[in-house]
Amino acid sequence: MADLLQSIIESGPGKVVAKRVGVPEATELRRWEPGQPLLDGPALLLGEGRLRGEVDRVLRAAGAAVLETPPPGEGERLGAVVLDASGITSVDGLRELYEGFGPVLRSIGASGRALVLGTPPAAVEDVEEAVAQRALEGFTRSLGKELRKGATAQLVLVKPGAEDRIESTLRFLLSSKSAYVDGQVVQVDGGDATDPADWERPLDGQVAVVTGASRGIGEAIAEVLARDGAHVVCVDVPAQGEALTKVANRIGGSALQLDVTADDAGQTLAEHAKERHGGVDVVVHNAGITRDRTLGRMSDDEWDVLMAVNLAAPVRITDTLLDTGALNEGARVVCVSSVNGIAGQRGQANYATSKAGLIGLVQAQSPKLAPSRTINAVAPGFIETQMTAAMPLFTREAGRRLNSLNQGGQPVDVAETIAWLSSPASGGVTGQVVRVCGQMLLGA
Ligand code: NAD
């Protein structure tokens, strides 16, 4: 849909006016394409902790040039600055963050990466060390807000003993696949994980189910999982049958017309997966709807139908797939939540309830599924789809701009995040909620 304000801002005179009134210009984000190097420049590796050796190995294995001191030349742009902060045990020690990043901040190139690694505070005995590790979060989130030109900052907290589980997470967060993920904290535990033979096709030989796959974010998820090697069973309502078949044919997957709210939806999916493929390795609960209305004006139907699609269906289908044995060992389940499920939103009490409920599903199921299987949620912010194109102009423009990257994300950004969580190598990541929102200024 034509977007008037956007096209005015992006026109020559519009740019001048937008700058005057303080609308920051958005940098086109580097996004993944085949053959692209991990980083657009060398990685500077700082800090001394238990993770440094493994980070160094991963960087080199992924083809990055590693520097131990900042480049002397003014002009050289860094692809990433990675600081192993797991060795910081005191408040005084936190100075290392300031001394490490301060002088090189301006050398981080467009769509560059700042990565801080630490230890989950809950896994630390000593009080001052736990304080220091908790402090990393405030630093990293602020860094995300200070970086410019599409550069992002993330914190990875690695449980002691899970040092050899970080590769898939580092590869994702450093690469352009994480283009619209910013200011996030991800924990890596010690679940079962298998490194793929080919990092570009981690899902080779696997079967994935994606609900709501006929368009928008679901279509992008199906495409990216197929690119990564999976046979994708694309699910959507019969009314979307034609579009669904087109997507399935294009990606070499199969189409299954199914309303996820049907009483026997889980059973149908389980039988389909077992009979045709012997089971399922990846399940993405993406189908979702909005029925926006302030609470006092909301109809019974607007509450009930939304809750049935967005929350009851994922809860029930996950249960049935487990109970029937259709969810293979090593399976990955990903729920598509929303930042509005974290922060709440006027006129979306039904939607936010359902999306917060999905976070509850992830938190309740993850210990039960461990150590072989994982369940995580992604929480998209403003993503350019039919859903957001239907918003009123000014709400839409505010949604697009109010984040550290000054722009909306693309469906592929959500899809790439889901692909990382779906990888057999991501067994250490479970029970997490990863926002794909360009570090939206609203909410947590
Ligand atoms: P969309 O409306 O374009 O696509 C949703 C798909 O789900 C459609 O194909 C629809 O037919 C399908 N669907 C709906 N009810 C179904 C049912 N009962 N059974 C099977 N399929 C059903 O929406 P989208 O923008 O691509 O959103 C995808 C997901 O991402 C949703 O869960 C949404 O809540 C979430 N999300 C989107 C945004 C955004 O900015 N677009 C932000 C946060 C979260």
Side-chain angles (χ1 to χ4, degrees), residues 212 214-215 217 236 259-260 286 336-337 351 355 380-381 383 385 388:
S214 72
R215 67 178 197 207
I217 294 173
D236 213 304
D259 183 333
V260 294
N286 162 78
V336 180
S337 177
Y351 184 77
K355 295 300 186 180
I383 306 297
T385 62
T388 46

Side-chain angles (χ1 to χ4, degrees), residues 266 269-271 273-274 278-281 320-328 331:
L269 254 181
E271 278 166 21
K274 281 211 285 193
V280 57
D281 303 290
T320 309
L321 291 176
L322 264 174
D323 292 347
T324 54
L327 199 63
N328 289 341

